Amino acid sequence: MNDIVTTLARSYDEAPYPGRAYAHTHPDYMAVLATLLGLNPPPVARCRVLEIGCAVGANLMPMALSLPEASFTGIDLSPRQIADGRRVIDTLGLTNITLLARDLQEVGDELGQFDYIIAHGVYSWTPAPVRDRLMALIKRCLTPNGVAFVSYNTYPGWHMLGAIRDLMLYAARDVEDSHDRARIALALLDMLAESDSEHANAFTSFIAAYAGRFRAMLDRLGPLSHAFLLHDALEVVNEPVYFAQFAAHAAQHGLQYLSETEFPMVLPQGLKPETVDAMRSFSRNGIDLEQYMDFLRGRQFRQTLLCHDHLKIRRMLRPERLAGMSVAALMHPESHPVDLTNETPVVFRNLHDVGFTVMAPITKAALLHLAEASPRAVPFETLVVEAQRRAVDGGAPLRDVEPLVLARRLGGDLLRAFATATTLVSFHLHPPLVASHPGERPQATALARLEAQTGIEVTNLYHDVLQLDPFDRFLLQLLDGQRDRAAIVREMAGAIDSGAVQYTAKESASSSPANLEVEIEQRLRWFAQVALLVA
């Protein structure tokens, strides 16, 4: 047991896991889901957050910047990663975050209690006694109304991925160097993905399909792909579980399943009604139903929220629970103009090409208003008023309708959008202060500017990760709130002339001052749209 823990610590010291933010671990997101499900979670602005397995603390640092009155503690088995994170914290001048090199088996009551606890990438990648210790620690350290986030690999999807893992481990069985292990694993994945043919048997076809799917996921991870291979697929411990087993383990420690962070996956989306009816007939409770859905979907990974078992969860979403929240959405109608006079259906689409059909004039007007306000989140009560005004101006007979009635209709539609895809609409109890427009002296956070110096990924104010090309990375580093437009253009022109920055295909072919100024203005507007600029 101690040998395994020592091996895990050494592996992360030798090949640190690249830090990044994970949007669904943010306390605001957890608090929103808890509120929608009838709980009264701790206020986000002054919350206490613990992350177990925090690596360099890159997930906590953006939270600490945006929530200066909250406090954050991270623990990790790897002293090297903790030391690296502390250097960044010192550079940023953060005083509300503490990183500790600790084995979670040795953590006692000295840390105190926390409103929100995060354990991302820990549960499946540690031995059974450590997993048990993790659940006990969450139970002991979580405040009475607190919420915990735990991610883990799941069956049945990992049955086939487990076969691929076994193949990769076998191929790299005598290789010590981590880079060589990753190289061999990638080559094997490519071979497996291309192994299918018209003469292949069913198993070969399954292996080829899953290898291709796994390879595509690695491609999407970008800079994280190498570390993911080493610390997930090739790690000494990787023990997936069925969701029902995980929920039962939590229950043994006085914790209960609250929700999956990817909320639409809680619902039987994409399944035939008769299939859903059959699953319900087999299910004794909600845990059973979700487990059956995992079987049908081939689920291989979960990000689950837990809370204490004494809390009463109300799983029917109700519009009145949006009171006090703010709403953000960027959807555009497929056709113009939008008819606000009646309930003619209109399809709105987001940037991911996810469609959402709207009929109510109040909701059509609200989505138009949110698109104009984007990326800012609008208080729900304000949204009802503004949408009613807009709908009335557009000819809708809503002037004398009570705001409470409109709030119920609008709230119901917004919740329906949230249950369709989390990319359609987001709710916030503590929305970030984002700029809708660049302003004369545009400003990005100190963290985003620092991230742009060292890698292609930066964290926006909604705790999402974006990838930037070299031109945008250099430009973002200049946005300290002190430089005006003229100074930004001069420094970018100087960087281009010196060869430090080059135009890529998407930028102008000419680097004349006029063209460069136009290009920079376009990029600054995009920075504002993706919530990289501070209000």
Side-chain angles (χ1 to χ4, degrees):
M1 174 65 179
N2 288 334
D3 289 344
I4 293 177
V5 173
T6 300
T7 301
L8 287 171
R10 185 172 63 248
S11 73
Y12 283 97
D13 278 343
E14 293 173 352
Y17 201 92
R20 73 181 313 185
Y22 298 94
H24 289 176
T25 68
H26 197 286
D28 184 59
Y29 187 82
M30 289 194 268
V32 163
L33 276 180
T35 302
L36 291 178
L37 293 171
L39 302 187
N40 183 29
V44 173
R46 294 178 176 83
C47 66
R48 295 194 74 219
V49 178
L50 170 66
E51 181 165 17
I52 302 165
C54 67
V56 296
N59 187 40
L60 292 178
M61 291 177 201
M63 301 179 192
L65 273 172
S66 64
L67 298 170
E69 296 183 61
S71 64
F72 301 85
T73 301
I75 63 173
D76 196 271
L77 193 61
S78 167
R80 175 183 172 181
Q81 293 189 119
I82 292 297
D84 290 345
R86 285 173 175 170
R87 282 191 289 272
V88 178
I89 289 169
D90 290 342
T91 299
L92 295 172
L94 291 171
T95 59
N96 60 339
I97 178 172
T98 302
L99 301 184
L100 303 169
R102 295 283 181 85
D103 180 345
L104 73 85
Q105 298 179 98
E106 299 171 356
V107 174
D109 296 330
E110 70 277 7
L111 295 180
Q113 287 200 306
F114 296 87
D115 301 310
Y116 299 93
I117 297 178
I118 304 162
H120 189 37
V122 178
Y123 189 88
S124 285
W125 301 270
T126 53
V130 180
R131 294 198 296 273
D132 207 52
R133 179 70 174 175
L134 172 64
M135 286 296 191
L137 183 64
I138 291 173
K139 176 63 179 179
R140 188 174 71 248
C141 291
L142 193 65
T143 55
N145 290 333
V147 181
F149 170 108
V150 183
S151 67
Y152 49 101
N153 286 335
T154 58
Y155 293 129
W158 253 94
H159 280 303
M160 192 59 69
L161 289 177
I164 295 173
R165 164 179 154 85
D166 289 344
L167 278 168
M168 290 190 291
L169 287 173
Y170 184 76
R173 62 192 180 280
D174 297 322
V175 179
E176 294 293 333
D177 183 78
S178 61
H179 295 283
D180 288 341
R181 286 170 63 81
R183 178 181 54 78
I184 291 170
L186 286 173
L188 182 66
L189 275 177
D190 290 337
M191 181 272 289
L192 292 173
E194 296 170 2
S195 64
D196 195 13
S197 71
E198 59 180 319
H199 303 297
N201 61 29
F203 185 77
T204 303
S205 297
F206 268 116
I207 283 283
Y210 266 80
R213 183 174 167 185
F214 193 69
R215 191 65 170 90
M217 179 188 66
L218 290 174
D219 291 339
R220 289 194 300 273
L221 287 173
L224 283 177
S225 60
H226 180 92
F228 183 84
L229 260 181
L230 293 174
H231 297 304
D232 187 66
L234 301 179
E235 192 55 88
V236 62
V237 178
N238 185 337
E239 298 185 9
V241 295
Y242 285 102
F243 165 65
Q245 292 174 322
F246 175 85
H249 189 201
Q252 290 171 11
H253 289 272
L255 299 166
Q256 65 174 319
Y257 170 68
L258 175 60
S259 177
E260 187 70 7
T261 60
E262 193 178 350
F263 189 76
M265 295 299 287
V266 174
L267 307 171
Q269 304 279 14
L271 300 175
K272 294 190 298 184
E274 53 268 34
T275 302
V276 177
D277 290 341
M279 286 192 303
R280 292 189 192 281
S281 69
F282 296 142
S283 301
R284 290 171 292 181
N285 50 46
I287 300 295
D288 275 357
L289 181 59
E290 287 202 42
Q291 181 62 75
Y292 282 122
M293 288 192 290
D294 279 9
F295 277 116
L296 292 179
R297 290 166 171 163
R299 194 73 178 269
Q300 63 192 52
F301 183 68
R302 269 184 172 261
Q303 301 177 90
T304 293
L305 298 186
L306 300 172
C307 62
H308 287 292
D309 59 6
H310 71 269
L311 297 175
K312 176 66 175 177
I313 301 171
R314 296 170 176 82
R315 300 198 178 276
M316 180 68 70
L317 299 185
R318 298 189 180 280
E320 55 266 26
R321 293 179 193 151
L322 295 178
M325 291 192 189
S326 294
V327 188
L330 180 57
M331 289 185 266
H332 296 291
E334 286 187 338
S335 58
H336 296 275
V338 175
D339 188 353
L340 299 178
T341 62
N342 56 48
E343 296 207 352
T344 301
V346 175
V347 176
F348 283 74
R349 292 194 177 274
N350 67 3
L351 298 179
H352 303 280
D353 200 34
V354 179
F356 181 64
T357 302
V358 177
M359 296 177 63
I362 187 68
T363 308
K364 299 175 190 175
L367 293 182
L368 293 173
H369 182 76
L370 288 173
E372 292 173 358
S374 180
R376 286 189 298 107
V378 179
F380 179 67
E381 290 76 11
T382 301
L383 181 61
V384 174
V385 173
E386 291 298 321
Q388 182 179 24
R389 178 191 58 77
R390 186 173 196 137
V392 169
D393 290 345
L398 301 180
R399 185 183 305 276
D400 298 323
V401 179
E402 288 293 325
L404 186 60
V405 174
L406 296 175
R408 288 198 191 100
R409 181 63 190 271
L410 174 58
D413 281 344
L414 293 176
L415 289 171
R416 182 167 58 87
F418 184 70
T420 300
T422 54
T423 60
L424 285 174
V425 61
S426 62
F427 303 117
H428 303 273
L429 286 161
H430 191 85
L433 297 175
V434 299
S436 296
H437 305 284
E440 180 56 26
R441 298 178 184 272
Q443 181 177 357
T445 67
L447 177 61
R449 300 198 306 272
L450 183 62
E451 289 173 329
Q453 290 179 26
T454 57
I456 67 173
E457 291 188 339
V458 298
T459 308
N460 74 1
L461 290 158
Y462 281 107
H463 211 60
D464 289 315
V465 174
L466 307 170
Q467 292 191 359
L468 303 184
D469 64 23
F471 184 93
D472 286 346
R473 287 175 56 198
F474 195 94
L475 176 60
L476 191 69
Q477 293 173 55
L478 301 178
L479 308 186
D480 58 3
Q482 303 300 312
R483 295 174 172 88
D484 61 14
R485 289 294 209 289
I488 293 170
V489 172
R490 282 196 305 271
E491 293 199 39
M492 287 299 295
I496 292 167
D497 291 341
S498 70
V501 176
Q502 293 182 342
Y503 280 123
T504 60
K506 75 173 179 166
E507 281 97 29
S508 302
S510 169
S511 59
S512 69
N515 286 334
L516 180 59
E517 188 172 346
V518 170
E519 182 63 44
I520 288 173
E521 186 62 33
Q522 291 174 346
R523 304 317 297 160
L524 291 178
R525 287 202 296 269
W526 182 77
F527 285 169
Q529 188 59 69
V530 297
L532 279 173
L533 301 183
V534 180

